[in-house]
Amino acid sequence: MNSFLLLGLVTVVVLALIGGALVWRRRTDRRTGSLHRLLELADRLEMDLKTCRAGLQQAHAVMSLNPDLPASGEQEARHAIDAGLRSLLQQRIWIRDEAPRASQEQLDSAVSAMKGTRDKLRPLLIALDRAQHDLDSAMREHLRREHDA
């Protein structure tokens, strides 16, 4: 066999191996990135839900005549947030049990769903923060008027 032909064949095989390794590496990096993004979004969503819960508790305590007795609206909000946290726990269990074997499409779908949930929650958190600020201002004004009277 001609040495140039043999050298060419070896070069093609080496290039194919390098190409395959690069494709595998790219796939692995994408998968790792998706898993990392999914876990990061889960952590952020949990923080968002807990922030929401704390803000609602604080707002209801300020508005309630008896802070030890939650209002019905507070109970509904508490149940909604608890349901969100339970749903997030189910998602974390899926990540733990299924994500290592999940397809890239399934991972991308999970990332997209988690991002969508956070995007829907963000305006509610902003509104809650704004309402808390307005409530604090109203309470300060009320206390100032009581003090002046």
Side-chain angles (χ1 to χ4, degrees):
M1 191 176 226
N2 186 338
S3 61
F4 287 116
L5 182 60
L6 182 60
L7 181 61
L9 185 60
V10 168
T11 301
V12 168
V13 169
V14 167
L15 288 176
L17 288 173
I18 290 172
L22 289 174
V23 167
W24 179 82
R25 173 69 187 255
R26 187 172 172 209
R27 182 177 172 264
T28 302
D29 287 350
R30 182 172 178 216
R31 183 174 187 75
T32 301
S34 293
L35 285 169
H36 178 73
R37 197 167 33 255
L38 188 57
L39 291 170
E40 183 179 318
L41 284 166
D43 289 343
R44 288 181 180 179
L45 180 57
E46 183 176 3
M47 282 190 313
D48 290 347
L49 287 167
K50 287 181 177 180
T51 297
C52 190
R53 179 171 55 192
L56 286 171
Q57 287 172 342
Q58 183 180 4
H60 283 288
V62 169
M63 292 178 359
S64 175
L65 295 176
N66 182 356
D68 296 329
L69 182 63
S72 63
E74 180 184 4
Q75 287 289 55
E76 292 170 11
R78 190 178 295 169
H79 289 305
I81 292 169
D82 289 345
L85 288 167
R86 281 190 302 276
S87 178
L88 179 60
L89 178 60
Q90 289 298 318
Q91 186 71 354
R92 286 186 184 276
I93 291 169
W94 181 88
I95 292 168
R96 182 195 69 200
D97 295 345
E98 302 298 327
R101 293 179 304 280
S103 69
Q104 184 62 50
E105 183 179 322
Q106 290 172 315
L107 291 175
D108 291 343
S109 177
V111 167
S112 180
M114 186 91 55
K115 186 177 179 321
T117 300
R118 281 198 76 227
D119 289 345
K120 288 176 188 173
L121 188 58
R122 189 169 301 129
L124 299 174
L125 286 168
I126 291 169
L128 179 61
D129 186 52
R130 191 175 309 122
Q132 185 66 45
H133 181 269
D134 292 345
L135 183 59
D136 289 346
S137 295
M139 287 303 294
R140 278 194 297 274
E141 180 63 24
H142 175 74
L143 292 174
R144 185 187 62 76
R145 286 182 186 164
E146 266 189 6
H147 184 316
D148 291 347

